[in-house]
């Protein structure tokens, strides 16, 4: 059997505000069986807990190494690609993928040296809007239209399984869509702020809602996932547009 560990070490599973420790244990087991190891717990309601250990059923090492952080921002601070798993469909702000579609992207990102996070929400409420806003894409497991919510650990299992199959079937696949890692989440946010002020400077909005435009543009650029060099070119264009706008206003 091929060794998937080189890629697996760059992939973390992030569980946000999990309420049932049993689900944390079952998720650890799901991760471990598929050859992954990295679990990050964002503000778990009960942890550590005997129930988590019991449900992990021997995948204790994953639990022992789990990193606990207070918020999602901290869980993904060093990540380049962040994908949020959602039970609900038709997310306006993010491009949506199936697990099978996301697997080659995750593989390519990791092969290019990126740190990748797969983010899962609370059992009852899922991921909040401000948590989804930190994600670069959404993953939806296709379900029955009228009942779309899987158990948390089972959703983790499905994503981990699809990733494993991809890695086993294409162990040395060349990155299908990139050679450099995508720019960091922080660099992307810096770019979006620059874009926002530039659109104001060139009086782009003319009565239209800047928020709606920014959501559309975020979706576009997060789907494209530019690398640092590409981002520098884009920011150079913005800086020139700002300079021209200043000149047009008669400034220096
Ligand atoms: N009632 C919640 C469901 C939460 S289930 C809601 O409507 O959002 C707990 C977590 O499991 C979700 O936040 C998501 O990360 C994952 N999950 C459950 N069903 C999923 C599906 N069909 N596709 C992708 N992720 C799913």
């Amino acid at each position: 059997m091929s060794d998937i560990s080189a890629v697996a070490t760059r992939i973390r599973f992030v569980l946000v505000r999990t309420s049932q420790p049993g689900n944390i244990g079952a998720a650890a087991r799901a991760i471990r069986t598929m050859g992954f190891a990295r679990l990050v717990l964002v503000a778990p309601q009960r942890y550590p807990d005997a129930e988590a250990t019991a449900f992990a059923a021997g995948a204790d090492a994953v639990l022992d190494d789990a990193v606990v952080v207070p918020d999602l921002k901290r869980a993904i601070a060093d990540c380049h690609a962040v994908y949020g798993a959602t039970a609900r469909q038709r997310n306006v702000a993010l491009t949506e993928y199936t697990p099978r579609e996301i697997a080659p992207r995750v593989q390519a990102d990791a092969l290019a040296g990126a740190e990748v996070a797969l983010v899962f929400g609370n059992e009852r409420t899922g991921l909040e809007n401000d948590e989804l806003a930190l994600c670069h894409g959404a993953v939806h497991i296709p379900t029955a239209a009228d009942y779309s919510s899987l158990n948390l650990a089972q959703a983790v299992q499905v994503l981990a399984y699809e990733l494993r199959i991809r890695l086993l079937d294409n162990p040395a696949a060349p990155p299908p869509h990139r050679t450099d890692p995508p720019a960091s989440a922080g660099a992307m946010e810096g770019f979006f702020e620059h874009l926002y002020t530039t659109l104001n400077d060139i009086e782009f909005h003319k009565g239209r809602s800047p928020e709606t435009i920014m959501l559309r543009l975020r979706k576009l650029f997060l789907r494209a996932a530019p690398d640092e060099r590409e981002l520098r070119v884009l920011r150079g264009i913005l800086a020139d547009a700002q300079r021209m706008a200043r000149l047009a206003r008669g400034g220096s």
Side-chain angles (χ1 to χ4, degrees), residues 14 16 23 84-88 97 99 119-127 139-143 147-156 159:
V14 181
V16 182
N23 279 335
T86 60
R88 272 164 285 181
Y97 306 91
V119 185
F120 299 81
N122 166 270
E123 292 91 332
R124 199 172 52 77
T125 52
L127 290 169
V139 191
H140 177 73
I141 300 163
T143 55
Y147 194 64
S148 68
S149 179
L150 277 77
N151 163 267
L152 169 61
Q154 291 177 347
V156 171
L159 260 72

Side-chain angles (χ1 to χ4, degrees), residues 84-116:
T86 60
R88 272 164 285 181
Q89 242 177 321
R90 278 186 288 281
N91 189 300
V92 283
L94 293 174
T95 303
E96 198 171 272
Y97 306 91
T98 64
R100 204 159 290 177
E101 287 164 350
I102 207 79
R105 272 182 94 89
V106 169
Q107 181 188 29
D109 288 339
L111 282 173
E115 286 286 322
V116 185

Side-chain angles (χ1 to χ4, degrees), residues 1-5 32-35 164-165 167-169 171:
M1 188 171 285
S2 320
D3 180 21
I4 69 163
S5 56
R32 177 75 174 85
T33 52
M34 296 297 104
R164 180 172 182 78
I165 293 300
L167 297 174
L168 289 177
D169 286 353

Side-chain angles (χ1 to χ4, degrees), residues 10 78-83 105-116 136 175 177-185 187-188 221-232:
R10 300 220 179 89
D78 60 330
C79 284
H80 305 82
V82 181
Y83 299 114
R105 272 182 94 89
V106 169
Q107 181 188 29
D109 288 339
L111 282 173
E115 286 286 322
V116 185
H136 303 161
H177 76 291
R178 68 183 322 127
T179 50
D180 288 332
S184 69
M188 286 305 290
F221 284 109
L222 289 172
R223 183 171 65 231
D227 59 39
E228 300 276 352
R229 204 174 325 167
E230 291 164 334
L231 218 51
R232 273 200 297 280

Side-chain angles (χ1 to χ4, degrees), residues 61 209 225:
S209 152

